[in-house]
Amino acid sequence: MASVTFRDCFLCVSALINFIFVFVTGADFVRFVSFRAIYHNLSGDAHLCRESSSWSVALRDGVVLKSVAVDILLLVLFSVQHSLLAWAPVKRACQNVLGVLSRTVYCFTTATVLQILMRCWQPVTSAPCLWSVQSAPWDIWFPLICFILHFLCWAIICSILLIFDYPELLGIKQVYYDILGLGDPLSLKSPRAQRLFSHLRHPVCVELLMVLWVLPTFPLDRLLLAVYLSVYLVLAHSLDTQDCTYLNRQLQTKLQLFSSPLVGSQTNNNIQKQD
C-alpha cells in the first residue's frame, strides 16, 4: 500500500474545505434568491418597495441609482469570474498551474464571488414594485404557493446535481482519482459524455428561471437579478439533440440504479462500457 504524502493530505484538505464552503454558499444562495423574499410576504416584515412612489421619481433618486449601480457591478463581477475561468485558454492555464485542484479553485472562487454578491447586495426599497400580491386571500395563498414551488424547484436542482456526478462538479473526484493514480475522471468518460459536459454549463436552467421570476413581490433589485441571470443562463445553454438523447439515456440508467441497486449496478456498468 502506498504511503500517504504531504501532497495527498494537502489535496484532500483543500477539497474538503472547498466542499464545505460551496455547500454553505449554496444554502445561503437558496435563502438569498428564494426564501428571503417569500418570508417577507408571509411575515409582513419590512417593505421591499415603496408603492406610493412613482417610477419617474424613483429613477431620479440618488439612493435608488446608487443601489442599482452597486447591484449591477456585483452581477458583472460574478459573470466575469464565472465565465473567464471557464474560458478555454484561461482554463488550460489554470490546469497547468493548479493541476488537479483547478476545478476546486474554480468552485471556491465562484462561491467566494457569490458570497460577496449576497453580502453586498443593495435592496431597492425606495422604488415601486413591478408587482405585489396584497389583496386577500391571495396575500397569504400566493406566497405559500410560491414557497411550495420554490421548494420543489430546489429539490429538483439537488437531484439533477446528484445525477450529474456532484463530486466531479466540485473537484472532489479529481483529487480522489489523482491520489489513486487513476488520472482525470473526465478522460475516462465516453466521448458523448465529454461532449455533453462541454456544452452543458448549467444543468438546472428551467428550475432556476422559475425561482428567479415566480415571487409574490417583485422589487426593482429583483428585476435586475432575474433579468441578468436569465440572460446569462440562456446564453450559456448550448445543448443539441444528441446531448438531450444522451442525457435522457443516463437519466433512465440512474432511475434504474435507485429502483434496484444490485441489478442497476450491473446495468450501469454495461451501459458505461457501451458508451
Side-chain angles (χ1 to χ4, degrees), residues 33-247:
V33 80
S34 191
F35 297 122
R36 186 183 67 169
I38 298 175
Y39 173 78
H40 275 285
N41 278 79
L42 291 174
S43 64
D45 249 356
H47 294 292
L48 296 175
C49 50
R50 184 183 298 171
E51 293 296 340
S52 60
S53 177
S54 64
W55 282 106
S56 59
V57 174
L59 294 178
R60 292 197 301 267
D61 189 341
V63 176
V64 172
L65 296 177
K66 181 181 177 181
S67 299
V68 169
V70 171
D71 293 343
I72 291 176
L73 286 175
L74 291 171
L75 290 169
V76 171
L77 174 64
F78 168 76
S79 59
V80 168
Q81 177 276 330
H82 205 56
S83 298
L84 184 63
L85 293 186
W87 188 35
V90 177
K91 190 174 181 180
R92 285 194 297 268
C94 290
Q95 289 175 343
N96 293 333
V97 175
L98 301 171
V100 71
L101 287 178
S102 60
R103 182 66 189 180
T104 300
V105 171
Y106 176 78
C107 294
F108 189 88
T109 53
T110 299
T112 301
V113 172
L114 271 179
Q115 287 288 353
I116 295 173
L117 184 148
M118 291 184 290
R119 296 181 185 279
C120 298
W121 188 260
Q122 300 293 310
V124 183
T125 57
S126 299
C129 290
L130 272 77
W131 65 76
S132 182
V133 180
Q134 296 180 346
S135 58
W138 292 107
D139 59 337
I140 298 297
W141 284 108
F142 191 64
L144 288 175
I145 293 172
C146 290
F147 178 86
I148 295 172
L149 181 62
H150 282 224
F151 180 84
L152 292 175
C153 285
W154 287 116
I156 294 172
I157 288 172
C158 292
S159 302
I160 293 175
L161 291 177
L162 291 176
I163 291 173
F164 270 85
D165 202 346
Y166 188 69
E168 187 173 346
L169 291 175
L170 289 183
I172 299 174
K173 198 170 186 179
Q174 288 85 333
V175 170
Y176 174 73
Y177 272 47
D178 181 79
I179 292 175
L180 296 181
L182 299 177
D184 184 5
L186 184 60
S187 64
L188 302 178
K189 295 184 180 296
S190 67
R192 280 181 287 181
Q194 295 183 32
R195 185 178 186 276
L196 172 66
F197 290 140
S198 66
H199 289 173
L200 189 62
R201 290 281 302 280
H202 302 93
V204 290
C205 184
V206 175
E207 292 78 11
L208 276 179
L209 290 177
M210 292 284 290
V211 167
L212 287 171
W213 287 99
V214 181
L215 280 176
T217 301
F218 214 82
L220 179 58
D221 61 290
R222 181 61 178 218
L223 176 65
L224 292 174
L225 182 71
V227 170
Y228 195 97
L229 292 184
S230 297
V231 172
Y232 187 78
L233 286 170
V234 171
L235 292 178
H237 183 77
S238 59
L239 292 182
D240 56 19
T241 305
Q242 294 183 42
D243 293 325
C244 292
T245 301
Y246 176 79
L247 182 59

